[in-house]
Short mmCIF file of all heavy atoms in Angstrom, two decimals:
data_model
loop_
_atom_site.label_atom_id
_atom_site.label_comp_id
_atom_site.label_asym_id
_atom_site.label_seq_id
_atom_site.Cartn_x
_atom_site.Cartn_y
_atom_site.Cartn_z
N ASP A 81 -59.93 7.12 -69.02
CA ASP A 81 -60.71 6.33 -68.06
C ASP A 81 -62.11 6.01 -68.56
O ASP A 81 -62.84 5.25 -67.92
CB ASP A 81 -60.76 7.03 -66.70
CG ASP A 81 -61.31 8.45 -66.77
OD1 ASP A 81 -61.42 8.99 -67.89
OD2 ASP A 81 -61.61 9.01 -65.71
N GLU A 82 -62.49 6.57 -69.71
CA GLU A 82 -63.76 6.19 -70.34
C GLU A 82 -63.72 4.76 -70.84
O GLU A 82 -64.74 4.07 -70.93
CB GLU A 82 -64.06 7.13 -71.51
CG GLU A 82 -65.30 6.76 -72.31
CD GLU A 82 -65.39 7.55 -73.60
OE1 GLU A 82 -65.17 8.78 -73.55
OE2 GLU A 82 -65.67 6.94 -74.65
N GLY A 83 -62.52 4.28 -71.19
CA GLY A 83 -62.37 2.93 -71.70
C GLY A 83 -61.57 2.88 -72.98
O GLY A 83 -61.05 3.89 -73.47
N MET A 84 -61.49 1.68 -73.57
CA MET A 84 -60.68 1.47 -74.75
C MET A 84 -61.11 2.34 -75.93
O MET A 84 -60.30 2.75 -76.75
CB MET A 84 -60.75 0.00 -75.17
CG MET A 84 -59.77 -0.39 -76.26
SD MET A 84 -60.09 -2.06 -76.90
CE MET A 84 -60.03 -3.02 -75.40
N GLY A 85 -62.41 2.63 -76.00
CA GLY A 85 -62.91 3.45 -77.11
C GLY A 85 -62.24 4.80 -77.18
O GLY A 85 -61.93 5.30 -78.28
N ALA A 86 -61.98 5.41 -76.02
CA ALA A 86 -61.33 6.72 -76.00
C ALA A 86 -59.91 6.63 -76.56
O ALA A 86 -59.48 7.50 -77.33
CB ALA A 86 -61.31 7.28 -74.58
N SER A 87 -59.19 5.59 -76.18
CA SER A 87 -57.82 5.41 -76.68
C SER A 87 -57.81 5.15 -78.18
O SER A 87 -56.95 5.66 -78.91
CB SER A 87 -57.14 4.26 -75.94
OG SER A 87 -56.94 4.57 -74.58
N LEU A 88 -58.77 4.36 -78.64
CA LEU A 88 -58.83 4.06 -80.07
C LEU A 88 -59.14 5.32 -80.88
O LEU A 88 -58.52 5.58 -81.92
CB LEU A 88 -59.88 2.99 -80.33
CG LEU A 88 -60.03 2.50 -81.77
CD1 LEU A 88 -58.71 1.97 -82.31
CD2 LEU A 88 -61.10 1.41 -81.84
N ARG A 89 -60.08 6.12 -80.40
CA ARG A 89 -60.40 7.38 -81.10
C ARG A 89 -59.19 8.29 -81.14
O ARG A 89 -58.88 8.89 -82.19
CB ARG A 89 -61.57 8.09 -80.40
CG ARG A 89 -62.90 7.37 -80.49
CD ARG A 89 -64.06 8.29 -80.09
NE ARG A 89 -63.88 8.89 -78.78
CZ ARG A 89 -64.33 8.35 -77.64
NH1 ARG A 89 -64.95 7.18 -77.67
NH2 ARG A 89 -64.16 8.96 -76.49
N ARG A 90 -58.50 8.42 -80.03
CA ARG A 90 -57.33 9.30 -79.97
C ARG A 90 -56.23 8.79 -80.90
O ARG A 90 -55.58 9.57 -81.61
CB ARG A 90 -56.81 9.37 -78.53
CG ARG A 90 -55.56 10.24 -78.35
CD ARG A 90 -55.89 11.71 -78.55
NE ARG A 90 -54.73 12.54 -78.31
CZ ARG A 90 -53.87 12.95 -79.26
NH1 ARG A 90 -54.06 12.59 -80.53
NH2 ARG A 90 -52.84 13.71 -78.94
N GLY A 91 -56.03 7.49 -80.89
CA GLY A 91 -54.96 6.94 -81.71
C GLY A 91 -55.23 7.09 -83.20
O GLY A 91 -54.36 7.53 -83.96
N LEU A 92 -56.43 6.74 -83.64
CA LEU A 92 -56.76 6.88 -85.06
C LEU A 92 -56.73 8.34 -85.49
O LEU A 92 -56.29 8.66 -86.61
CB LEU A 92 -58.13 6.26 -85.35
CG LEU A 92 -58.20 4.74 -85.32
CD1 LEU A 92 -59.64 4.27 -85.53
CD2 LEU A 92 -57.29 4.12 -86.39
N GLY A 93 -57.19 9.22 -84.61
CA GLY A 93 -57.14 10.64 -84.93
C GLY A 93 -55.72 11.13 -85.17
O GLY A 93 -55.47 11.95 -86.06
N SER A 94 -54.77 10.59 -84.41
CA SER A 94 -53.38 11.02 -84.57
C SER A 94 -52.77 10.49 -85.87
O SER A 94 -51.81 11.07 -86.38
CB SER A 94 -52.54 10.53 -83.38
OG SER A 94 -52.33 9.13 -83.43
N LEU A 95 -53.33 9.42 -86.41
CA LEU A 95 -52.78 8.83 -87.63
C LEU A 95 -53.26 9.51 -88.91
O LEU A 95 -52.64 9.33 -89.97
CB LEU A 95 -53.14 7.34 -87.71
CG LEU A 95 -52.58 6.43 -86.62
CD1 LEU A 95 -52.97 4.98 -86.89
CD2 LEU A 95 -51.06 6.55 -86.51
N THR A 96 -54.33 10.26 -88.82
CA THR A 96 -54.89 10.88 -90.03
C THR A 96 -53.91 11.85 -90.67
O THR A 96 -54.03 12.15 -91.86
CB THR A 96 -56.21 11.60 -89.72
OG1 THR A 96 -55.97 12.62 -88.73
CG2 THR A 96 -57.26 10.62 -89.19
N HIS A 97 -52.95 12.35 -89.90
CA HIS A 97 -51.99 13.33 -90.41
C HIS A 97 -50.73 12.67 -90.97
O HIS A 97 -49.83 13.38 -91.42
CB HIS A 97 -51.62 14.31 -89.31
CG HIS A 97 -52.80 14.98 -88.67
ND1 HIS A 97 -53.63 15.83 -89.36
CD2 HIS A 97 -53.31 14.88 -87.42
CE1 HIS A 97 -54.59 16.25 -88.55
NE2 HIS A 97 -54.42 15.69 -87.37
N LEU A 98 -50.66 11.33 -90.92
CA LEU A 98 -49.48 10.65 -91.42
C LEU A 98 -49.66 10.33 -92.90
O LEU A 98 -50.50 9.50 -93.26
CB LEU A 98 -49.23 9.35 -90.65
CG LEU A 98 -48.80 9.49 -89.19
CD1 LEU A 98 -48.67 8.11 -88.56
CD2 LEU A 98 -47.50 10.26 -89.06
N PRO A 99 -48.88 10.95 -93.77
CA PRO A 99 -49.03 10.68 -95.20
C PRO A 99 -48.64 9.25 -95.56
O PRO A 99 -47.71 8.69 -94.97
CB PRO A 99 -48.09 11.69 -95.85
CG PRO A 99 -47.05 11.98 -94.79
CD PRO A 99 -47.80 11.90 -93.49
N GLY A 100 -49.35 8.68 -96.48
CA GLY A 100 -49.00 7.36 -96.97
C GLY A 100 -49.47 6.20 -96.10
O GLY A 100 -49.17 5.05 -96.39
N THR A 101 -50.21 6.49 -95.03
CA THR A 101 -50.70 5.43 -94.16
C THR A 101 -52.03 4.91 -94.68
O THR A 101 -53.04 5.62 -94.65
CB THR A 101 -50.88 5.94 -92.71
OG1 THR A 101 -49.63 6.47 -92.24
CG2 THR A 101 -51.34 4.82 -91.79
N GLY A 102 -52.03 3.66 -95.15
CA GLY A 102 -53.24 3.09 -95.71
C GLY A 102 -54.05 2.29 -94.72
O GLY A 102 -55.23 2.02 -94.94
N ALA A 103 -53.43 1.88 -93.60
CA ALA A 103 -54.12 1.05 -92.62
C ALA A 103 -53.43 1.17 -91.27
O ALA A 103 -52.26 1.57 -91.18
CB ALA A 103 -54.13 -0.41 -93.07
N ALA A 104 -54.17 0.82 -90.23
CA ALA A 104 -53.62 0.80 -88.88
C ALA A 104 -53.80 -0.60 -88.30
O ALA A 104 -54.88 -1.18 -88.39
CB ALA A 104 -54.33 1.82 -88.00
N LEU A 105 -52.75 -1.12 -87.71
CA LEU A 105 -52.80 -2.42 -87.04
C LEU A 105 -52.91 -2.13 -85.55
O LEU A 105 -51.99 -1.62 -84.92
CB LEU A 105 -51.53 -3.21 -87.35
CG LEU A 105 -51.43 -4.70 -87.01
CD1 LEU A 105 -51.41 -4.96 -85.52
CD2 LEU A 105 -52.54 -5.48 -87.67
N VAL A 106 -54.08 -2.42 -84.97
CA VAL A 106 -54.37 -2.09 -83.57
C VAL A 106 -54.01 -3.28 -82.69
O VAL A 106 -54.51 -4.40 -82.86
CB VAL A 106 -55.85 -1.73 -83.39
CG1 VAL A 106 -56.13 -1.34 -81.93
CG2 VAL A 106 -56.24 -0.59 -84.32
N HIS A 107 -53.14 -3.02 -81.72
CA HIS A 107 -52.66 -4.06 -80.81
C HIS A 107 -52.90 -3.58 -79.37
O HIS A 107 -52.94 -2.36 -79.12
CB HIS A 107 -51.17 -4.29 -81.06
CG HIS A 107 -50.58 -5.46 -80.35
ND1 HIS A 107 -51.29 -6.60 -80.04
CD2 HIS A 107 -49.31 -5.69 -79.88
CE1 HIS A 107 -50.50 -7.46 -79.44
NE2 HIS A 107 -49.30 -6.94 -79.33
N LEU A 108 -53.06 -4.51 -78.44
CA LEU A 108 -53.28 -4.19 -77.04
C LEU A 108 -52.04 -4.53 -76.21
O LEU A 108 -51.39 -5.55 -76.45
CB LEU A 108 -54.49 -4.95 -76.49
CG LEU A 108 -55.79 -4.82 -77.28
CD1 LEU A 108 -56.91 -5.59 -76.57
CD2 LEU A 108 -56.18 -3.37 -77.47
N VAL A 109 -51.76 -3.71 -75.23
CA VAL A 109 -50.52 -3.86 -74.47
C VAL A 109 -50.50 -5.10 -73.59
O VAL A 109 -49.43 -5.57 -73.20
CB VAL A 109 -50.26 -2.58 -73.63
CG1 VAL A 109 -51.16 -2.55 -72.39
CG2 VAL A 109 -48.79 -2.45 -73.24
N ASP A 110 -51.68 -5.64 -73.26
CA ASP A 110 -51.72 -6.76 -72.31
C ASP A 110 -51.83 -8.12 -73.00
O ASP A 110 -52.34 -9.08 -72.42
CB ASP A 110 -52.88 -6.58 -71.32
CG ASP A 110 -54.25 -6.54 -71.98
OD1 ASP A 110 -54.30 -6.51 -73.23
OD2 ASP A 110 -55.26 -6.54 -71.26
N LEU A 111 -51.30 -8.22 -74.22
CA LEU A 111 -51.31 -9.48 -74.96
C LEU A 111 -49.88 -9.90 -75.31
O LEU A 111 -49.50 -9.96 -76.48
CB LEU A 111 -52.14 -9.34 -76.24
CG LEU A 111 -53.62 -9.03 -76.07
CD1 LEU A 111 -54.27 -8.79 -77.42
CD2 LEU A 111 -54.33 -10.15 -75.33
N PRO A 112 -49.05 -10.20 -74.31
CA PRO A 112 -47.65 -10.50 -74.60
C PRO A 112 -47.45 -11.79 -75.39
O PRO A 112 -46.36 -12.01 -75.94
CB PRO A 112 -47.01 -10.60 -73.21
CG PRO A 112 -48.15 -10.94 -72.30
CD PRO A 112 -49.33 -10.23 -72.86
N GLY A 113 -48.47 -12.64 -75.46
CA GLY A 113 -48.35 -13.87 -76.23
C GLY A 113 -48.61 -13.69 -77.72
O GLY A 113 -48.48 -14.63 -78.50
N VAL A 114 -48.99 -12.48 -78.10
CA VAL A 114 -49.22 -12.16 -79.51
C VAL A 114 -47.99 -11.40 -80.02
O VAL A 114 -47.75 -10.26 -79.62
CB VAL A 114 -50.49 -11.31 -79.70
CG1 VAL A 114 -50.67 -10.94 -81.16
CG2 VAL A 114 -51.71 -12.08 -79.20
N GLY A 115 -47.24 -12.05 -80.87
CA GLY A 115 -45.97 -11.47 -81.32
C GLY A 115 -45.94 -11.11 -82.78
O GLY A 115 -46.98 -11.00 -83.44
N PRO A 116 -44.75 -10.94 -83.32
CA PRO A 116 -44.58 -10.47 -84.70
C PRO A 116 -45.23 -11.35 -85.75
O PRO A 116 -45.71 -10.85 -86.76
CB PRO A 116 -43.06 -10.44 -84.88
CG PRO A 116 -42.50 -10.32 -83.51
CD PRO A 116 -43.44 -11.06 -82.62
N GLU A 117 -45.26 -12.67 -85.53
CA GLU A 117 -45.80 -13.56 -86.55
C GLU A 117 -47.27 -13.29 -86.80
O GLU A 117 -47.72 -13.20 -87.95
CB GLU A 117 -45.59 -15.02 -86.13
CG GLU A 117 -44.13 -15.44 -86.03
CD GLU A 117 -43.51 -15.11 -84.68
OE1 GLU A 117 -44.21 -14.50 -83.83
OE2 GLU A 117 -42.33 -15.45 -84.47
N ALA A 118 -48.06 -13.16 -85.73
CA ALA A 118 -49.49 -12.87 -85.89
C ALA A 118 -49.70 -11.49 -86.47
O ALA A 118 -50.57 -11.28 -87.33
CB ALA A 118 -50.20 -13.00 -84.54
N ILE A 119 -48.92 -10.52 -86.01
CA ILE A 119 -49.04 -9.16 -86.52
C ILE A 119 -48.76 -9.13 -88.02
O ILE A 119 -49.51 -8.52 -88.79
CB ILE A 119 -48.08 -8.24 -85.75
CG1 ILE A 119 -48.60 -8.05 -84.31
CG2 ILE A 119 -47.92 -6.88 -86.46
CD1 ILE A 119 -47.60 -7.42 -83.38
N ARG A 120 -47.69 -9.78 -88.43
CA ARG A 120 -47.32 -9.80 -89.85
C ARG A 120 -48.42 -10.48 -90.69
O ARG A 120 -48.76 -10.02 -91.78
CB ARG A 120 -46.00 -10.53 -90.02
CG ARG A 120 -45.42 -10.46 -91.43
CD ARG A 120 -44.08 -11.16 -91.50
NE ARG A 120 -43.10 -10.55 -90.61
CZ ARG A 120 -42.65 -11.11 -89.49
NH1 ARG A 120 -43.08 -12.32 -89.13
NH2 ARG A 120 -41.77 -10.49 -88.72
N ARG A 121 -48.99 -11.54 -90.16
CA ARG A 121 -50.01 -12.28 -90.90
C ARG A 121 -51.27 -11.43 -91.10
O ARG A 121 -51.86 -11.43 -92.18
CB ARG A 121 -50.36 -13.56 -90.14
CG ARG A 121 -51.30 -14.48 -90.89
CD ARG A 121 -51.51 -15.78 -90.15
NE ARG A 121 -50.30 -16.61 -90.11
CZ ARG A 121 -50.25 -17.82 -89.55
NH1 ARG A 121 -51.33 -18.33 -88.96
NH2 ARG A 121 -49.12 -18.51 -89.56
N VAL A 122 -51.68 -10.71 -90.08
CA VAL A 122 -52.89 -9.89 -90.19
C VAL A 122 -52.66 -8.67 -91.07
O VAL A 122 -53.56 -8.22 -91.79
CB VAL A 122 -53.38 -9.46 -88.79
CG1 VAL A 122 -54.57 -8.51 -88.89
CG2 VAL A 122 -53.77 -10.69 -87.96
N ALA A 123 -51.44 -8.13 -91.05
CA ALA A 123 -51.15 -6.89 -91.77
C ALA A 123 -50.76 -7.10 -93.22
O ALA A 123 -50.78 -6.15 -94.01
CB ALA A 123 -50.02 -6.14 -91.06
N GLU A 124 -50.44 -8.32 -93.60
CA GLU A 124 -49.86 -8.58 -94.92
C GLU A 124 -50.77 -8.10 -96.05
O GLU A 124 -51.94 -8.45 -96.13
CB GLU A 124 -49.59 -10.07 -95.10
CG GLU A 124 -48.86 -10.42 -96.37
CD GLU A 124 -48.53 -11.90 -96.48
OE1 GLU A 124 -48.98 -12.67 -95.61
OE2 GLU A 124 -47.80 -12.27 -97.41
N GLY A 125 -50.20 -7.27 -96.94
CA GLY A 125 -50.91 -6.81 -98.12
C GLY A 125 -52.09 -5.89 -97.85
O GLY A 125 -52.95 -5.72 -98.72
N ALA A 126 -52.13 -5.28 -96.69
CA ALA A 126 -53.28 -4.45 -96.32
C ALA A 126 -53.35 -3.18 -97.15
O ALA A 126 -52.33 -2.61 -97.56
CB ALA A 126 -53.21 -4.09 -94.84
N GLY A 127 -54.58 -2.70 -97.37
CA GLY A 127 -54.81 -1.46 -98.09
C GLY A 127 -55.91 -0.65 -97.44
O GLY A 127 -56.41 -1.00 -96.36
N HIS A 128 -56.33 0.40 -98.09
CA HIS A 128 -57.31 1.33 -97.53
C HIS A 128 -58.63 0.66 -97.18
O HIS A 128 -59.31 1.06 -96.23
CB HIS A 128 -57.56 2.46 -98.52
CG HIS A 128 -56.46 3.48 -98.57
ND1 HIS A 128 -56.64 4.80 -98.26
CD2 HIS A 128 -55.14 3.36 -98.89
CE1 HIS A 128 -55.50 5.46 -98.40
NE2 HIS A 128 -54.57 4.59 -98.78
N ALA A 129 -59.04 -0.34 -97.95
CA ALA A 129 -60.34 -0.97 -97.74
C ALA A 129 -60.28 -2.20 -96.85
O ALA A 129 -61.32 -2.80 -96.55
CB ALA A 129 -60.95 -1.36 -99.09
N SER A 130 -59.10 -2.57 -96.38
CA SER A 130 -58.94 -3.81 -95.60
C SER A 130 -59.61 -3.71 -94.24
O SER A 130 -59.60 -2.66 -93.58
CB SER A 130 -57.45 -4.13 -95.41
OG SER A 130 -56.81 -4.31 -96.65
N LEU A 131 -60.17 -4.83 -93.80
CA LEU A 131 -60.76 -4.93 -92.46
C LEU A 131 -60.55 -6.37 -92.01
O LEU A 131 -61.19 -7.30 -92.51
CB LEU A 131 -62.24 -4.59 -92.49
CG LEU A 131 -62.93 -4.41 -91.14
CD1 LEU A 131 -62.34 -3.20 -90.39
CD2 LEU A 131 -64.43 -4.24 -91.30
N ARG A 132 -59.61 -6.56 -91.08
CA ARG A 132 -59.22 -7.90 -90.67
C ARG A 132 -59.12 -8.00 -89.16
O ARG A 132 -58.85 -7.02 -88.48
CB ARG A 132 -57.88 -8.29 -91.28
CG ARG A 132 -57.84 -8.28 -92.79
CD ARG A 132 -56.45 -8.60 -93.29
NE ARG A 132 -56.33 -8.40 -94.72
CZ ARG A 132 -55.19 -8.19 -95.34
NH1 ARG A 132 -54.06 -8.15 -94.65
NH2 ARG A 132 -55.17 -8.01 -96.65
N ARG A 133 -59.29 -9.23 -88.70
CA ARG A 133 -59.16 -9.48 -87.27
C ARG A 133 -58.54 -10.85 -87.07
O ARG A 133 -58.93 -11.82 -87.72
CB ARG A 133 -60.53 -9.43 -86.61
CG ARG A 133 -60.49 -9.54 -85.10
CD ARG A 133 -61.82 -9.21 -84.47
NE ARG A 133 -61.66 -9.03 -83.04
CZ ARG A 133 -62.62 -8.65 -82.21
NH1 ARG A 133 -63.84 -8.42 -82.69
NH2 ARG A 133 -62.38 -8.51 -80.92
N ALA A 134 -57.57 -10.92 -86.18
CA ALA A 134 -56.99 -12.21 -85.85
C ALA A 134 -58.04 -13.10 -85.22
O ALA A 134 -58.93 -12.62 -84.49
CB ALA A 134 -55.80 -12.04 -84.90
N ALA A 135 -57.95 -14.40 -85.49
CA ALA A 135 -58.83 -15.37 -84.86
C ALA A 135 -58.00 -16.50 -84.30
O ALA A 135 -56.91 -16.82 -84.80
CB ALA A 135 -59.84 -15.91 -85.88
N TYR A 136 -58.50 -17.11 -83.22
CA TYR A 136 -57.80 -18.19 -82.55
C TYR A 136 -58.76 -19.37 -82.44
O TYR A 136 -59.73 -19.31 -81.69
CB TYR A 136 -57.30 -17.71 -81.18
CG TYR A 136 -56.35 -16.55 -81.34
CD1 TYR A 136 -56.82 -15.23 -81.34
CD2 TYR A 136 -54.99 -16.75 -81.54
CE1 TYR A 136 -55.96 -14.15 -81.55
CE2 TYR A 136 -54.13 -15.69 -81.73
CZ TYR A 136 -54.62 -14.40 -81.73
OH TYR A 136 -53.77 -13.33 -81.94
N ASP A 137 -58.51 -20.36 -83.28
CA ASP A 137 -59.44 -21.49 -83.43
C ASP A 137 -60.84 -20.97 -83.73
O ASP A 137 -61.83 -21.46 -83.20
CB ASP A 137 -59.44 -22.35 -82.17
CG ASP A 137 -58.10 -23.04 -81.93
OD1 ASP A 137 -57.43 -23.41 -82.92
OD2 ASP A 137 -57.71 -23.18 -80.76
N GLY A 138 -60.89 -19.96 -84.60
CA GLY A 138 -62.15 -19.41 -85.07
C GLY A 138 -62.76 -18.34 -84.20
O GLY A 138 -63.75 -17.71 -84.59
N VAL A 139 -62.19 -18.09 -83.03
CA VAL A 139 -62.72 -17.07 -82.11
C VAL A 139 -62.01 -15.74 -82.37
O VAL A 139 -60.78 -15.66 -82.28
CB VAL A 139 -62.51 -17.50 -80.64
CG1 VAL A 139 -63.05 -16.41 -79.71
CG2 VAL A 139 -63.18 -18.82 -80.38
N PRO A 140 -62.75 -14.66 -82.69
CA PRO A 140 -62.12 -13.38 -82.99
C PRO A 140 -61.32 -12.83 -81.81
O PRO A 140 -61.74 -12.97 -80.65
CB PRO A 140 -63.32 -12.46 -83.31
CG PRO A 140 -64.41 -13.39 -83.72
CD PRO A 140 -64.22 -14.61 -82.88
N GLY A 141 -60.19 -12.22 -82.13
CA GLY A 141 -59.35 -11.63 -81.09
C GLY A 141 -58.56 -10.46 -81.65
O GLY A 141 -59.05 -9.72 -82.50
N HIS A 142 -57.34 -10.28 -81.15
CA HIS A 142 -56.47 -9.19 -81.59
C HIS A 142 -55.16 -9.78 -82.11
O HIS A 142 -54.80 -10.88 -81.74
CB HIS A 142 -56.19 -8.24 -80.43
CG HIS A 142 -57.33 -7.34 -80.11
ND1 HIS A 142 -58.37 -7.73 -79.30
CD2 HIS A 142 -57.64 -6.08 -80.53
CE1 HIS A 142 -59.24 -6.74 -79.20
NE2 HIS A 142 -58.82 -5.73 -79.93
N PRO A 143 -54.48 -9.03 -82.96
CA PRO A 143 -54.71 -7.64 -83.38
C PRO A 143 -55.82 -7.51 -84.42
O PRO A 143 -56.31 -8.48 -84.97
CB PRO A 143 -53.35 -7.23 -83.97
CG PRO A 143 -52.79 -8.51 -84.51
CD PRO A 143 -53.21 -9.58 -83.53
N VAL A 144 -56.17 -6.22 -84.66
CA VAL A 144 -57.20 -5.86 -85.63
C VAL A 144 -56.60 -4.90 -86.65
O VAL A 144 -55.89 -3.96 -86.27
CB VAL A 144 -58.41 -5.20 -84.94
CG1 VAL A 144 -59.41 -4.68 -85.96
CG2 VAL A 144 -59.09 -6.19 -83.99
N LEU A 145 -56.86 -5.15 -87.90
CA LEU A 145 -56.36 -4.31 -89.00
C LEU A 145 -57.50 -3.46 -89.52
O LEU A 145 -58.54 -3.97 -89.95
CB LEU A 145 -55.80 -5.20 -90.10
CG LEU A 145 -55.01 -4.60 -91.27
CD1 LEU A 145 -55.91 -3.88 -92.26
CD2 LEU A 145 -53.92 -3.67 -90.79
N LEU A 146 -57.32 -2.13 -89.46
CA LEU A 146 -58.34 -1.18 -89.91
C LEU A 146 -57.79 -0.39 -91.09
O LEU A 146 -56.91 0.47 -90.92
CB LEU A 146 -58.72 -0.22 -88.78
CG LEU A 146 -59.22 -0.85 -87.48
CD1 LEU A 146 -59.39 0.23 -86.40
CD2 LEU A 146 -60.53 -1.59 -87.71
N GLY A 147 -58.30 -0.66 -92.29
CA GLY A 147 -57.94 0.15 -93.44
C GLY A 147 -58.45 1.57 -93.28
O GLY A 147 -59.46 1.81 -92.59
N ARG A 148 -57.79 2.51 -93.90
CA ARG A 148 -58.10 3.92 -93.71
C ARG A 148 -59.57 4.24 -94.04
O ARG A 148 -60.16 5.13 -93.42
CB ARG A 148 -57.17 4.76 -94.58
CG ARG A 148 -57.13 6.23 -94.18
CD ARG A 148 -56.17 7.02 -95.07
NE ARG A 148 -55.97 8.37 -94.54
CZ ARG A 148 -54.91 8.76 -93.86
NH1 ARG A 148 -53.93 7.92 -93.63
NH2 ARG A 148 -54.81 10.00 -93.41
N ASP A 149 -60.16 3.52 -94.99
CA ASP A 149 -61.55 3.77 -95.34
C ASP A 149 -62.50 3.55 -94.17
O ASP A 149 -63.64 4.05 -94.19
CB ASP A 149 -61.98 2.87 -96.51
CG ASP A 149 -61.28 3.20 -97.81
OD1 ASP A 149 -60.60 4.24 -97.88
OD2 ASP A 149 -61.42 2.40 -98.76
N HIS A 150 -62.06 2.80 -93.17
CA HIS A 150 -62.93 2.45 -92.04
C HIS A 150 -62.70 3.33 -90.81
O HIS A 150 -63.46 3.20 -89.84
CB HIS A 150 -62.70 0.98 -91.66
CG HIS A 150 -62.99 0.02 -92.76
ND1 HIS A 150 -64.27 -0.38 -93.09
CD2 HIS A 150 -62.16 -0.62 -93.62
CE1 HIS A 150 -64.22 -1.24 -94.09
NE2 HIS A 150 -62.96 -1.39 -94.45
N TRP A 151 -61.69 4.18 -90.84
CA TRP A 151 -61.34 4.91 -89.63
C TRP A 151 -62.47 5.79 -89.10
O TRP A 151 -62.77 5.79 -87.91
CB TRP A 151 -60.09 5.76 -89.86
CG TRP A 151 -58.84 4.96 -90.05
CD1 TRP A 151 -58.73 3.59 -90.04
CD2 TRP A 151 -57.53 5.46 -90.28
NE1 TRP A 151 -57.42 3.21 -90.26
CE2 TRP A 151 -56.66 4.33 -90.42
CE3 TRP A 151 -56.99 6.74 -90.40
CZ2 TRP A 151 -55.30 4.47 -90.65
CZ3 TRP A 151 -55.62 6.88 -90.64
CH2 TRP A 151 -54.79 5.77 -90.75
N SER A 152 -63.11 6.53 -89.98
CA SER A 152 -64.16 7.44 -89.51
C SER A 152 -65.33 6.65 -88.92
O SER A 152 -65.91 7.06 -87.91
CB SER A 152 -64.65 8.34 -90.65
OG SER A 152 -65.20 7.57 -91.70
N GLY A 153 -65.67 5.52 -89.52
CA GLY A 153 -66.74 4.69 -88.98
C GLY A 153 -66.39 4.13 -87.62
O GLY A 153 -67.24 4.07 -86.72
#
Side-chain angles (χ1 to χ4, degrees):
D81 56 347
E82 175 191 315
M84 190 190 305
S87 294
L88 183 56
R89 293 194 305 269
R90 178 70 177 93
L92 288 176
S94 72
L95 296 183
T96 59
H97 306 295
L98 291 177
T101 303
L105 193 292
V106 182
H107 189 31
L108 307 183
V109 76
D110 61 352
L111 298 174
V114 178
E117 296 86 356
I119 289 167
R120 188 177 300 109
R121 186 175 293 182
V122 175
E124 186 176 7
H128 284 241
S130 300
L131 191 64
R132 300 177 189 157
R133 186 169 193 176
Y136 300 90
D137 295 325
V139 179
H142 285 84
V144 173
L145 189 286
L146 304 173
R148 196 180 190 101
D149 293 350
H150 300 281
W151 292 1
S152 61

